[in-house]
Amino acid sequence: MDRLGLSDLTRILRECAGEEEGVDLDGDVLDLNWMELGYDSLAFLQTVGHIEREYGVLLDEEALDEADTPRLFLTMVNEALAARAAV
């Protein structure tokens, strides 16, 4: 796969950590931080591990600290996928 979309991310979030009651992952969630979406650091790390395995990419741990919203996380993952494809 060469691109991770929001629908892919929400599917993976649900698989790895479920969905917080009262949070609509199908809504406008791109700029909400992980805590607002009901995901703690463990849920986030489970999601990262799943994406690394499913998409065959290694994500930069330092960059993960900055990716505190789905929008920033998707940008980071897709940049890593593009760099892998360019090799």
Side-chain angles (χ1 to χ4, degrees):
M1 296 186 167
D2 9 37
R3 183 157 175 75
L4 180 70
L6 181 58
S7 61
D8 301 310
L9 177 58
T10 56
R11 172 187 55 82
I12 294 167
L13 284 166
R14 286 178 176 124
E15 288 174 11
C16 291
E19 186 171 356
E20 185 75 20
E21 187 175 323
V23 174
D24 179 14
L25 289 179
D26 296 321
D28 186 17
V29 297
L30 279 173
D31 296 312
L32 298 177
N33 70 45
W34 298 116
M35 294 304 285
E36 289 175 298
L37 295 171
Y39 297 108
D40 61 13
S41 58
L42 180 58
F44 182 68
L45 289 175
Q46 288 175 319
T47 301
V48 168
H50 184 98
I51 289 169
E52 287 180 331
R53 287 186 304 279
E54 185 173 324
Y55 286 78
V57 66
L58 185 60
L59 300 174
D60 180 355
E61 288 186 36
E62 288 182 28
L64 287 172
D65 291 337
E66 302 296 319
D68 61 351
T69 67
R71 182 184 308 277
L72 294 173
F73 182 70
L74 287 169
T75 298
M76 183 196 66
V77 171
N78 289 320
E79 286 173 356
L81 290 170
R84 183 196 66 192
V87 173

